[in-house]
Amino acid sequence: MQTDWRRRELAFLILYAVVFYSFVIRRSLQLSHDYYSKLHGLRPGWIANRLNDTSDAQWRNFRGNLQTLTVVFGIFTLIANLLRTYCCLRVKGMANVWLVISLAYLSYLHGACIIFIIAIALANFLLVKIFGRTKYFSFVLWIFNLSFLVCNRVYEGYHFSTFGQRWAFLDDFRGTFRWHICFNFVVLRMISYGYDYHWAEQYNRFDQKKHIHRCSVCSSGKACYLSLQEGSVQNDKFSFAVYLCYLLYAPLYIAGPIISFNAFASQLDTPQKNYSFKQVAWYGLRWILSLFLMELITHFFYYNAFAISGVWKQLTPMDNFIVGYGVLNFMWLKFFLLWRYFRFWSLVNGIEAPENMPKCLNNCYNLETFWKNWHASYNKWLVRYMYIPLGGARRKLLNVWVVFTFVAIWHDLEWKLLSWAWLTCLFFVPEILVKSASNTFQLQGAFGEFLVREFNAVAGAVTITCLMVANLVGFVIGPSGINWLISAFLQKQGLPTVGGMFISFYVGTKLMFHISDSQQRRLKNI
C-alpha cells in the first residue's frame, strides 16, 4: 500500500517538476528577449546568432584564456610525467620539478609580484618552524595569516615604490593577474601546512586499521582522501621545497580545489591510483559536455546580466524569483567548470584533490548538505582547521558564526558578503535546533515515518527559500536591497509568488527524498 502511494506521489512530483521548469525556461527566454537592450555584458555569440552573456568577469576571463591554459597545462603535464617516469623521481625530486614549473607559471601570471608571494610564504615557514611546537602556535599562525589576508586587499597587493623609489620600476612588471586575489588560496595552504606540522609530533588519533576495515576504497588497496589527510607524513616532507611546491602547485594554484598538506605531500611520492586512465578521460569528456551546457545557458538566458545591470528593480516578484534562481544555477555551473577543469589537470599529474561539487545544487534540501557539496574541499578545510579546533559540534551554534564570518572575509572585504554570511548563519540556527529535536524525539510506525517525512519536506522548502534570499542579498541586490525585497514580496502582488516558491521547493524536496531512497536501494543491491 505504501509502495503504491509512493509511486503515485513520484508520478505527480515529476509532472509538477516538468511544468515548473517549462514555465521557468519559457519565462526566462521571454525576459532575455524583452530586456536584452538594457543589459550590460552581452557580446556577439556563436550559437544561433544569439548574444552571449559574458557579464561575469571571472567566467569571462576563464573562457577567454581557456585555450592558452590548456596548452600550458598540457606542456607542464608532459614535462612532469616524462621526468617522473624516466628519472624515477620521488618526493623531493617531484617537488623540485613542480616548483620550477610553478614558478615559471607564476612569473607569467604575476610578474615581479612573485617576490611578495615568496617573502610572505618564507615568513610563514619560519613562523611555523619556530612556534610549531609551542602552545601559542594557533594564535600566532592565525594572527599572521589573517593580517596578510586583510592587508593584501586593503593595499591592493602593495606597490614596490612603497619600499623605496629604487624599486619603483618593478611596478611596471605586475603580470597579467592580480596576485593578491590568488593569494587567498595560498593563505589556506599556509594554515594547512602549519597545522599538519603542528599535529605531526602529537599523538595520532587516526586509527588506520579500523578505517581500512570500514572504508571500501582503502580496503581495495587504494587510499581515500581521508586516510591521506589524517595519516602522518615523514618529517623530511615538511622541507621548504615541498612546502613551497604545495603552496604554488600550478594545476590547483588559481582556484583550487583545496587539498591539505598531508594529502598533497603523500601523493608526490605515490601518485593517485583511485582514477584509472579511462576514468580520467571520461572525467574530461564530461567536463566538455558541461562546458557546452554553459554555452547554451549564457546564449539563451541572461541571468547574470540582469543581476549586475540593476534591471531586477523593474521586474515583478515572480520574475525576480526566476532571475535569482537562474543566477544561483549559473554560479553553480560556473564554479563546477572552473574547479573540475583544474582538478582534471591535477589528476592527470597524479595528485587527487577533493571534488568541489560532488552533488548538484538542485539536489540539496538543507543548509548543511548544501555547504558540504558547494566548494566541498573548502568545507573539508574549514571543518579540519577551524570548526573542530573551535570545539566542533559542542559549540555548533557559536562556531557557524565564526566560520561564516571568516568565509566572507576570505572572499572579499565587502558588506554584502558579510550580510550574506550572517543571513546564512541566522538561517542555520533553526535547522540546527530542528535536527537536535528530531534526534531527541523519534516517531515510530508508518504514520510516524509519514509525519517525519512531511515535516522534513516543509523544513527543506523553508531552508531553500532562505538560501535563495541569502544569495539574492549576497550576489544580486546587496544589503541595500533587503528593504526592497521585503516590501516587494510581502505586498499583495508578491504573496502568490512566495506561496508558489514554497510549494515548488516543497515538491523539489520530496523529489529529492525519492532520489535518495532510490540510491539507497541501489547500494543495498550491490
Side-chain angles (χ1 to χ4, degrees), residues 108-166:
Y108 168 75
L109 287 178
H110 307 315
C113 292
I114 195 173
I115 296 171
F116 293 129
I117 297 171
I118 295 174
I120 298 171
L122 176 60
N124 182 79
F125 179 79
L126 295 174
L127 181 146
V128 170
K129 291 295 184 178
I130 294 169
F131 294 96
R133 302 287 186 254
T134 69
K135 62 181 179 180
Y136 308 106
F137 171 74
S138 293
F139 176 78
V140 173
L141 183 72
W142 278 103
I143 290 297
F144 176 86
N145 282 281
L146 285 175
S147 298
F148 275 104
L149 187 66
V150 173
C151 289
N152 289 351
R153 287 303 180 102
V154 171
Y155 296 102
E156 297 184 347
Y158 316 109
H159 294 278
F160 287 99
S161 58
T162 306
F163 304 96
Q165 286 303 311
R166 71 175 69 179

Side-chain angles (χ1 to χ4, degrees), residues 10 54 75 84 95 99 151 199 246 283 290 349 355-356 366 374 445:
L10 179 60
T54 59
I75 294 171
R84 185 201 299 272
L99 186 52
C151 289
W199 291 329
Y246 167 62
Y283 189 87
S290 300
N349 286 285
E355 183 66 84
N356 258 344
N366 60 53
W374 179 292

Side-chain angles (χ1 to χ4, degrees), residues 12-208:
F12 169 76
L13 295 175
I14 292 173
L15 178 62
Y16 186 96
V18 170
V19 173
F20 172 79
Y21 281 108
S22 297
F23 171 75
V24 169
I25 290 171
R26 183 182 178 190
R27 186 57 187 158
S28 297
L29 287 169
Q30 188 64 47
L31 287 171
S32 298
H33 176 269
D34 292 346
Y35 289 93
Y36 76 92
S37 61
K38 299 180 180 180
L39 303 180
H40 307 308
L42 302 184
R43 296 180 180 178
W46 60 275
I47 299 178
N49 293 321
R50 299 275 305 184
L51 292 172
N52 187 19
D53 184 355
T54 59
S55 57
D56 184 88
Q58 190 177 33
W59 175 249
R60 182 173 64 250
N61 290 334
F62 174 75
R63 184 178 178 271
N65 292 292
L66 184 58
Q67 290 181 336
T68 304
L69 272 174
T70 303
V71 171
V72 168
F73 281 129
I75 294 171
F76 286 171
T77 298
L78 182 63
I79 293 171
N81 286 320
L82 283 175
L83 289 172
R84 185 201 299 272
T85 303
Y86 291 104
C87 299
C88 299
L89 298 177
R90 307 295 286 176
V91 177
K92 289 184 179 179
M94 284 311 300
N96 289 329
V97 167
W98 272 111
L99 186 52
V100 171
I101 288 173
S102 299
L103 287 172
Y105 179 54
L106 266 67
S107 295
Y108 168 75
L109 287 178
H110 307 315
C113 292
I114 195 173
I115 296 171
F116 293 129
I117 297 171
I118 295 174
I120 298 171
L122 176 60
N124 182 79
F125 179 79
L126 295 174
L127 181 146
V128 170
K129 291 295 184 178
I130 294 169
F131 294 96
R133 302 287 186 254
T134 69
K135 62 181 179 180
Y136 308 106
F137 171 74
S138 293
F139 176 78
V140 173
L141 183 72
W142 278 103
I143 290 297
F144 176 86
N145 282 281
L146 285 175
S147 298
F148 275 104
L149 187 66
V150 173
C151 289
N152 289 351
R153 287 303 180 102
V154 171
Y155 296 102
E156 297 184 347
Y158 316 109
H159 294 278
F160 287 99
S161 58
T162 306
F163 304 96
Q165 286 303 311
R166 71 175 69 179
W167 309 110
F169 73 98
L170 292 174
D171 287 322
D172 296 328
F173 304 96
R174 300 186 69 88
T176 60
F177 204 87
R178 292 177 296 169
W179 73 273
H180 57 285
I181 303 298
C182 296
F183 200 79
N184 285 15
F185 286 96
V186 177
V187 165
L188 301 183
R189 297 183 194 113
M190 291 196 301
I191 293 172
S192 175
Y193 173 82
Y195 268 115
D196 286 357
Y197 177 81
H198 177 64
W199 291 329
E201 295 297 319
Q202 296 183 3
Y203 174 69
N204 192 351
R205 298 180 180 179
F206 184 65
D207 192 333
Q208 189 77 27

Side-chain angles (χ1 to χ4, degrees), residues 58 62 105 177 181-182 185 189 249-258 335 338-340 342-343 356 375 377 410:
Q58 190 177 33
F62 174 75
Y105 179 54
F177 204 87
I181 303 298
C182 296
F185 286 96
R189 297 183 194 113
Y249 178 59
L252 302 179
Y253 173 76
I254 291 180
I258 302 155
F335 288 121
L338 283 167
W339 289 326
R340 287 207 173 189
F342 293 114
R343 183 174 185 263
N356 258 344
H375 210 165
S377 69
W410 179 82

Side-chain angles (χ1 to χ4, degrees), residues 147-327:
S147 298
F148 275 104
L149 187 66
V150 173
C151 289
N152 289 351
R153 287 303 180 102
V154 171
Y155 296 102
E156 297 184 347
Y158 316 109
H159 294 278
F160 287 99
S161 58
T162 306
F163 304 96
Q165 286 303 311
R166 71 175 69 179
W167 309 110
F169 73 98
L170 292 174
D171 287 322
D172 296 328
F173 304 96
R174 300 186 69 88
T176 60
F177 204 87
R178 292 177 296 169
W179 73 273
H180 57 285
I181 303 298
C182 296
F183 200 79
N184 285 15
F185 286 96
V186 177
V187 165
L188 301 183
R189 297 183 194 113
M190 291 196 301
I191 293 172
S192 175
Y193 173 82
Y195 268 115
D196 286 357
Y197 177 81
H198 177 64
W199 291 329
E201 295 297 319
Q202 296 183 3
Y203 174 69
N204 192 351
R205 298 180 180 179
F206 184 65
D207 192 333
Q208 189 77 27
K209 292 182 179 179
K210 188 176 181 179
H211 172 77
I212 291 174
H213 181 71
R214 293 182 175 182
C215 178
S216 59
V217 175
C218 293
S219 59
S220 66
K222 299 175 182 178
C224 72
Y225 181 77
L226 181 63
S227 67
L228 293 173
Q229 175 179 270
E230 299 297 335
S232 57
V233 297
Q234 297 171 347
N235 285 333
D236 63 338
K237 291 181 180 177
F238 288 100
S239 67
F240 183 70
V242 177
Y243 161 76
L244 202 57
C245 171
Y246 167 62
L247 297 188
L248 309 181
Y249 178 59
L252 302 179
Y253 173 76
I254 291 180
I258 302 155
I259 183 172
S260 72
F261 176 80
N262 281 353
F264 178 84
S266 56
Q267 292 181 88
L268 278 177
D269 195 22
T270 306
Q272 68 86 21
K273 298 178 181 178
N274 294 338
Y275 286 77
S276 65
F277 175 82
K278 183 178 179 181
Q279 288 173 318
V280 173
W282 174 237
Y283 189 87
L285 179 60
R286 287 174 61 194
W287 185 89
I288 292 172
L289 295 174
S290 300
L291 176 64
F292 181 67
L293 174 62
M294 178 60 125
E295 288 295 295
L296 288 175
I297 289 174
T298 55
H299 276 78
F300 287 90
F301 310 115
Y302 306 144
Y303 297 125
N304 197 71
F306 273 100
I308 70 160
S309 301
V311 179
W312 50 269
K313 295 178 181 178
Q314 305 173 24
L315 303 180
T316 64
M318 175 60 73
D319 290 340
N320 265 301
F321 158 68
I322 292 172
V323 169
Y325 184 64
V327 169

